[in-house]
Amino acid sequence: MFKAVFHQGIATLIVAGLAWLWAGPHGAASAGLGGAAVVIPNLFFALSLWAAARSGRASVARFFVGEFIKVAATLALLVIVAGAYRDLHWLALLAGLLVALKANLFAILIKA
C-alpha cells in the first residue's frame, strides 16, 4: 500500500520538475498540486486500511467506503485547487494528476 503511494509521490515530483522546465514555476506548482490531489487521499486511505488490518476490523464494506471517500476527496481537492490558484496551468495540473494515477504502472514497466 505505502509503496504505491511512494511511487505516486516520486512520479509527482518528477513531473513537477519537468513542468518547471517547460512552463516555469506556475507549471511546476500546478503539476505538484495535481499529483497531490491524488497522493494525499491515497495516503490517508492506505493508513486507514493499515489501521483496520492491525486492529482486526478490516472488511469489504470498509474498503468500499474508504475508496468512495478517497475519490470524493480527490475531486474536492481538484475543485479547491481550480478555484484557489489563480495562475493555474491546466495542462501541467492534468499531467501531474495522470502521472500520479498511473505511477504504479510505470513502476511495473521499469522493473520488467
Side-chain angles (χ1 to χ4, degrees):
M1 291 182 294
F2 295 109
K3 190 174 183 181
V5 176
F6 175 75
H7 286 149
Q8 289 174 332
I10 295 299
T12 297
L13 291 175
I14 291 170
V15 170
L18 292 173
W20 182 288
L21 295 174
W22 176 60
H26 294 298
S30 297
L33 289 169
V38 173
V39 174
I40 293 169
N42 281 340
L43 177 60
F44 283 114
F45 183 49
L47 286 170
S48 170
L49 291 177
W50 177 77
R54 299 235 338 144
S55 69
R57 296 176 310 186
S59 69
V60 174
R62 179 181 291 268
F63 176 83
F64 282 112
V65 168
E67 185 68 24
F68 176 77
I69 292 170
K70 181 183 81 166
V71 171
T74 298
L75 291 173
L77 287 173
L78 288 172
V79 168
I80 290 168
V81 166
Y85 189 41
R86 298 238 184 260
D87 296 321
L88 186 66
H89 194 283
W90 282 99
L91 190 57
L93 175 94
L94 290 175
L97 176 78
L98 292 175
V99 168
L101 285 170
K102 298 300 177 189
N104 298 318
L105 176 64
F106 298 137
I108 291 170
L109 292 175
I110 290 172
K111 286 183 182 179

